[in-house]
DNA sequence: GCCAACGTTGGC
DNA sequence: GCCAACGTTGGC
């Protein structure tokens, strides 16, 4: 069982939207970075992920979600009307993938990036080291620490 | 809205 | 294969 962190701008798709999407969850698509894509493909059912609100006030880890379906081709890459359309992705060998994720919990106390930066044991977190990676691994100690900061 | 970080593209 | 130009992310 692995731990992850996945970013979304709340003005686009927030943890409340995920909660509303219920047990079936949502396809986490639109990722157009190869390293993030590779992490998506290595996710397995039952893995847990922090839902992180980026470009938010404040930017913060706001809850937990669960991987409920493993990698499948991201349909937005084939949709010319979608912002994430990729005309160079061959349908027979899709370039971009998504996983299905579902709501687990929303933190009563979000853990902001300032909180994370202020916590010495989290200074190696990928979130701080690699600013713009939208899907990233979290170690077990980091996971426990962030949930601790969330009051869990 | 600014801009630093950094990934991608494309000319050579 | 190098690297400059360009585009995007995301904190502030």
């Amino acid at each position: 069982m692995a731990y992850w962190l996945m970013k979304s701008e709340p003005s686009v798709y927030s943890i409340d939207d995920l909660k509303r999407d219920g047990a079936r969850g949502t396809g986490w698509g639109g990722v157009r970075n190869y390293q993030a894509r590779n992490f998506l493909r290595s996710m397995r059912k039952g893995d847990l992920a922090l839902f992180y609100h980026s470009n938010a006030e404040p930017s913060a880890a706001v809850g937990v979600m669960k991987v409920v379906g493993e990698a499948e081709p991201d349909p937005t890459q084939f949709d010319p009307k979608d912002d994430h359309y990729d005309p160079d992705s061959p349908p027979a060998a899709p370039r971009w993938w998504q996983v299905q994720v579902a709501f687990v919990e929303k933190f009563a106390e979000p853990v902001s990036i300032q909180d994370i930066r202020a916590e010495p044991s989290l200074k190696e977190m990928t979130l701080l080291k690699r600013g713009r990676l939208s899907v990233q691994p979290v170690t077990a100690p980091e996971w426990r620490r962030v949930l601790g900061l969330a009051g869990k």
Side-chain angles (χ1 to χ4, degrees), chain A residues 4 13 19 25 29 31 35 40 48-49 51 62 66 76 114 121 126-128 135 139-143 145 147 152:
Chain A
W4 306 96
Y13 188 85
K19 185 173 187 180
V31 172
Q35 196 177 1
L40 284 175
L48 295 173
F51 194 130
V62 292
K66 179 187 286 198
T76 64
Q114 295 94 326
S121 63
T126 304
L127 183 71
L128 303 182
V135 177
T139 68
E142 288 166 352
W143 180 270
R145 198 75 199 95
L147 265 69
K152 294 287 152 183

Side-chain angles (χ1 to χ4, degrees), chain A residues 44-92:
Chain A
R44 294 295 172 259
K45 272 187 196 175
D47 285 359
L48 295 173
L50 293 168
F51 194 130
Y52 181 84
H53 281 171
S54 61
N55 271 315
E57 225 21 85
S59 294
V62 292
V64 173
M65 55 192 169
K66 179 187 286 198
V67 176
V68 296
E70 298 179 6
E72 58 186 359
D74 177 348
T76 64
Q77 70 194 304
F78 302 124
D79 179 358
K81 294 186 294 295
D82 194 281
D83 284 348
H84 298 102
Y85 178 54
D86 182 354
D88 298 327
S89 179

Side-chain angles (χ1 to χ4, degrees), chain A residues 108-124:
Chain A
E109 303 171 49
V111 182
S112 72
I113 190 161
Q114 295 94 326
D115 296 336
I116 291 170
R117 200 172 270 129
E119 171 54 49
S121 63
L122 295 176
K123 70 180 196 307
E124 296 300 318

